[in-house]
């Protein structure tokens, strides 16, 4: 008798799938560890793999012609990157960046398409997940245009702490500046202000969150908005 | 590359830049300073009062002042 591969329960989309659907995917899934800073794809690349994170966080960045980039979405264990490749050969419009050490279950796009073609449930998941990314991008677009660098940095640190499952987040100034689409000097000034107020400790590229409650107060409403949206969409996706 | 320090003085609350950043030359540091000021001034809100000011000072590694950018709020009545 062929053994059934161990079910990866960490990715919540995979764990919400009915057993029969999961078993179709399981033989094609490979679990790999990705290093912080790795780029999985650039805008214009054909998506060759679909990634279901089991821990950590992947960032979706819009990239400008002069090289400037800004985060337009993040995907953790609640989601998937590249799901559109389940419907057709798909070119990415974003840079996919590994934001912290991340474990993923990955599947080759062509294998994913073969399985999706046999499953209406998986097809619906590929379509519905676009709504998750779109709603996230709407909040982040508004946040980037309307909110202060300080509030945005607080929002970003809270999200990263949730994803990293640790109150220590290893980040360089350059990296933070890129995620927020601001100058390094602005990041330094805001990080110093938060440090002086005892909210974070920032040294040697590692941010240690000291006062999460204060950080939540200093963040804009977008942190909570993204959490609420994500919870609502997750419950819809689990019923797809 | 030379290292530059970008110190802030917001409503008399100093935020000292301890680590600084490296740039090719004065001109590149000036561009960084002006763009960062633009980002931070954007967040000035209705709490700013006449008589208050906001400034950034750019110094070199020896502590020599190279640029100062000031935003001053005044009542002219």
């Amino acid at each position: 008798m062929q053994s059934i591969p161990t079910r990866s329960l960490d990715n919540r989309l995979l764990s919400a799938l009915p057993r029969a659907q999961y078993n179709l995917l399981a033989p094609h899934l490979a679990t790999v560890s990705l290093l912080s800073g790795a780029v999985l794809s650039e805008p214009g690349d054909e998506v060759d793999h679909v990634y279901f994170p089991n821990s950590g966080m992947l960032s979706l960045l819009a990239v400008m012609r002069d090289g400037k980039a800004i985060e337009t979405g993040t995907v953790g264990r609640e989601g998937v990157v590249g799901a559109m490749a389940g419907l057709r050969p798909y070119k990415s419009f974003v840079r996919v960046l590994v934001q912290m050490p991340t474990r993923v279950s990955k599947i080759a796009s062509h294998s994913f398409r073969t399985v999706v073609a046999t499953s209406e449930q998986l097809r619906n998941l590929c379509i519905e997940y676009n709504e998750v990314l779109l709603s996230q991008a709407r909040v982040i677009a508004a946040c980037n245009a309307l909110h202060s660098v300080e509030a945005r940095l607080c929002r970003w640190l809270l999200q990263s702490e949730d994803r990293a499952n640790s109150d220590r987040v290893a980040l360089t100034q350059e990296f933070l500046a890129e995620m927020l689409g601001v100058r390094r000097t602005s990041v330094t000034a805001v990080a110093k202000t938060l440090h002086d107020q005892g909210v974070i400790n920032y040294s040697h590229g590692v941010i240690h969150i000291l006062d999460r409650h204060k950080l939540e107060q200093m963040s804009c409403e977008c942190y909570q908005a993204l959490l609420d949206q994500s919870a609502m969409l997750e419950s819809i996706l689990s019923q797809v | 590359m030379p290292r530059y320090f970008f110190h802030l003085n917001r409503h008399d609350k100093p935020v000292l830049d301890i680590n600084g950043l490296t740039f090719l030359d004065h001109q590149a540091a000036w561009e960084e300073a002006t763009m960062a000021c633009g980002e931070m001034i954007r967040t000035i809100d209705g709490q700013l009062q006449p008589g208050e000011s906001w400034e950034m000072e750019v110094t070199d590694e020896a502590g020599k002042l190279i640029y100062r950018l000031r935003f001053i709020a005044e009542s002219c009545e």
Side-chain angles (χ1 to χ4, degrees), chain A residues 187-200:
Chain A
V187 170
T188 308
V190 170
K192 184 72 171 41
T193 307
L194 295 176
H195 182 102
D196 291 350
Q197 292 182 48
V199 182
I200 62 168

Side-chain angles (χ1 to χ4, degrees), chain A:
Chain A
M1 198 180 123
Q2 198 187 346
S3 67
I4 296 165
T6 314
R7 189 162 181 170
S8 165
L9 288 169
D10 292 332
N11 181 275
R12 294 212 285 269
L13 287 180
L14 291 180
S15 67
L17 284 176
R19 184 95 208 174
Q21 305 286 318
Y22 177 76
N23 286 348
L24 292 173
L25 287 177
H28 306 285
L29 289 171
T31 305
V32 290
S33 295
L34 304 171
L35 294 176
S36 187
V39 173
L40 300 182
S41 68
E42 288 286 356
D45 288 356
E46 177 140 343
V47 173
D48 55 358
H49 283 90
V50 179
Y51 300 91
F52 294 88
N54 296 311
S55 67
M57 171 149 94
L58 303 177
S59 256
L60 311 180
L61 307 181
V63 186
M64 299 294 121
R65 258 182 251 156
D66 65 0
K68 281 188 199 138
I70 187 166
E71 187 176 84
T72 62
T74 59
V75 177
R77 55 193 283 264
E78 79 295 340
V80 53
V81 171
M84 277 300 280
L87 303 177
R88 56 179 166 78
Y90 181 64
K91 276 191 180 158
S92 170
F93 295 114
V94 292
R95 173 181 295 158
V96 180
L97 179 74
V98 182
Q99 210 179 72
M100 57 181 73
T102 297
R103 279 185 76 74
V104 295
S105 293
K106 70 171 191 175
I107 177 170
S109 296
H110 60 88
S111 307
F112 189 55
R113 267 199 296 285
T114 309
V115 177
V116 169
T118 67
S119 161
E120 194 184 345
Q121 198 159 12
L122 281 170
R123 197 156 52 239
N124 288 342
L125 192 142
C126 295
I127 297 166
E128 290 285 340
Y129 195 73
N130 276 323
E131 173 67 8
V132 174
L133 294 178
L134 179 58
S135 64
Q136 211 188 126
R138 286 189 192 112
V139 173
I140 293 172
C143 185
N144 287 342
L146 299 174
H147 295 147
S148 69
V149 178
E150 183 177 277
R152 283 158 56 203
L153 180 64
C154 292
R155 186 255 291 164
W156 201 90
L157 289 175
L158 289 165
Q159 279 182 290
S160 300
E161 188 193 19
D162 292 349
R163 250 69 182 260
N165 234 338
S166 160
D167 60 2
R168 281 170 203 274
V169 189
L171 300 157
T172 64
Q173 219 168 28
E174 285 85 350
F175 187 81
L176 266 174
E178 178 163 81
M179 290 307 113
L180 298 170
V182 298
R183 310 299 299 181
R184 287 180 296 168
T185 301
S186 302
V187 170
T188 308
V190 170
K192 184 72 171 41
T193 307
L194 295 176
H195 182 102
D196 291 350
Q197 292 182 48
V199 182
I200 62 168
N201 182 43
Y202 188 22
S203 68
H204 305 296
V206 178
I207 291 183
H208 183 194
I209 295 173
L210 302 174
D211 187 345
R212 189 179 161 101
H213 182 66
K214 189 89 183 287
L215 201 59
E216 282 175 15
Q217 287 178 334
M218 294 172 81
S219 164
C220 49
E221 68 202 66
C222 300
Y223 171 64
Q224 195 57 45
L226 287 167
L227 273 188
D228 293 347
Q229 267 188 12
S230 158
M232 198 184 296
L233 291 163
E234 208 177 307
S235 76
I236 292 169
L237 277 176
S238 68
Q239 290 156 31
V240 159

